[in-house]
Amino acid sequence: MRTPVIAGNWKMYLGQTEEALGFVRGIRQPLNEVDGVERVLCPPFTVLATVAEVLQATRIEVGAQTMHWEDQGAHTGEVSPRMLQDLCKYVIIGHSERRAAEANAETDAAVNKKVRAALAHGLIPILCVGENLAQNEAGQTEDFVGGQVRAALEGLGADEVRTCVIAYEPIWAIGTGKAATPADANRVMGVVVRGAVSQQFGEEAAQAARILYGGSVNVENIAGFMSMPEIDGALVGGASLKPDFVELVRRAAATRG
Ligand code: 13P
């Protein structure tokens, strides 16, 4: 009943017009033909409009990688929800690479404002949560991730939360080639993430919200994740930059179908 989502987070890659166009034109048709799973490409801002334009006549959706919470203002370098609302359907919020102190130091409070602003503008947030290695090894995963979910969704209504996408991305699994096991990811996503949503907003909203796994997902391991009941798709980094992203999406659809 929950339509799976496979979202490709390009991060700071493929941001030049010609390389982005070349890549998207190459995968557009076969990616468009896959049924049963929503596909989302999240390119850098420099090519967001260009990618959105070449995907216009397709069923492939576009997402941004971040945004500010205000509509406009003196915020040098920022992009607002109003600027994005006609350009894309999704927006990644609170990625661990932006929460990191040495990067953008995004706090739970800022993430909450962004989630609210996205929903208020008709954008679907892909809210990222996940523990680091030290927290994982110290047995703090449940408390930390549960806290991130509660803080990010604070003040929302159940009718809003049910439309959200939440990505569980353990930081130690991102870009390391060391993915979580499907069983471990499924447990955190069900017990901790969906559990926190259920506690705060009720079981109906918790069952409707889509929860993705992210962290070293590739064409070989996607089927294992998709066969788990709590895993509604994946947020894919490195493997979304290669043509076999299409095969990854096909396998995701085949596992669910
Ligand atoms: P990788 O798939 O490269 O590990 O990245 C995951 C991620 O951070 C997606 O947002």
Side-chain angles (χ1 to χ4, degrees), residues 22-45:
F23 179 67
V24 174
R25 286 191 181 124
I27 63 169
R28 177 175 52 179
Q29 196 198 336
L31 192 57
N32 193 41
E33 283 168 2
V34 186
D35 285 319
V37 27
E38 222 179 316
R39 300 125 293 185
V40 186
L41 302 183
C42 304
F45 284 127

Side-chain angles (χ1 to χ4, degrees), residues 11 97 133 170-180 213-217 238:
K11 307 190 179 185
E97 288 158 9
L133 186 61
I171 294 171
W172 47 269
I174 296 177
T176 59
K178 282 174 60 181
Y213 169 75
S216 296
V217 173

Side-chain angles (χ1 to χ4, degrees), residues 60-159:
I60 305 164
E61 305 291 349
V62 176
Q65 296 179 15
T66 184
M67 63 168 209
H68 199 273
W69 59 85
E70 287 181 13
D71 271 2
Q72 57 180 11
H75 302 291
T76 302
E78 294 288 343
V79 171
S80 83
R82 206 174 73 186
M83 297 171 191
L84 293 178
Q85 63 184 4
D86 295 328
L87 212 51
C88 56
K89 178 172 175 180
Y90 289 91
V91 55
I92 297 171
I93 291 177
H95 194 284
S96 57
E97 288 158 9
R98 299 192 57 86
R99 292 182 189 250
E102 66 275 20
N104 300 82
E106 281 189 15
T107 61
D108 278 339
V111 168
N112 177 247
K113 286 192 220 177
K114 292 178 182 207
V115 170
R116 290 180 191 223
L119 290 163
H121 287 79
L123 293 157
I124 300 176
I126 301 176
L127 163 67
C128 299
V129 297
E131 82 286 2
N132 66 26
L133 186 61
Q135 291 164 328
N136 182 280
E137 288 176 346
Q140 295 164 353
T141 298
E142 303 203 357
D143 282 350
F144 183 74
V145 173
Q148 281 185 319
V149 173
R150 281 189 291 275
L153 302 180
E154 199 181 307
L156 297 179
D159 55 327

Side-chain angles (χ1 to χ4, degrees), residues 189-209:
M189 294 163 70
V191 176
V192 182
V193 179
R194 214 179 292 283
V197 174
S198 175
Q199 235 180 12
Q200 219 174 343
F201 300 98
E203 189 56 15
E204 198 280 330
Q207 287 303 324

Side-chain angles (χ1 to χ4, degrees), residues 163-249:
T163 70
C164 289
V165 176
I166 305 174
Y168 169 58
E169 300 204 304
I171 294 171
W172 47 269
I174 296 177
T176 59
K178 282 174 60 181
T181 66
D184 282 347
N186 187 68
R187 189 186 59 79
V188 176
M189 294 163 70
V191 176
V192 182
V193 179
R194 214 179 292 283
V197 174
S198 175
Q199 235 180 12
Q200 219 174 343
F201 300 98
E203 189 56 15
E204 198 280 330
Q207 287 303 324
R210 289 173 296 177
I211 305 180
L212 316 183
Y213 169 75
S216 296
V217 173
N218 59 40
V219 74
E220 302 304 330
N221 63 20
I222 185 65
F225 290 110
M226 295 305 289
S227 65
M228 291 287 155
E230 299 291 351
I231 303 185
D232 303 317
L235 183 54
V236 184
S240 76
L241 301 169
K242 294 182 265 177
D244 74 354
F245 181 60
V246 175
E247 181 57 23
L248 190 160
V249 174

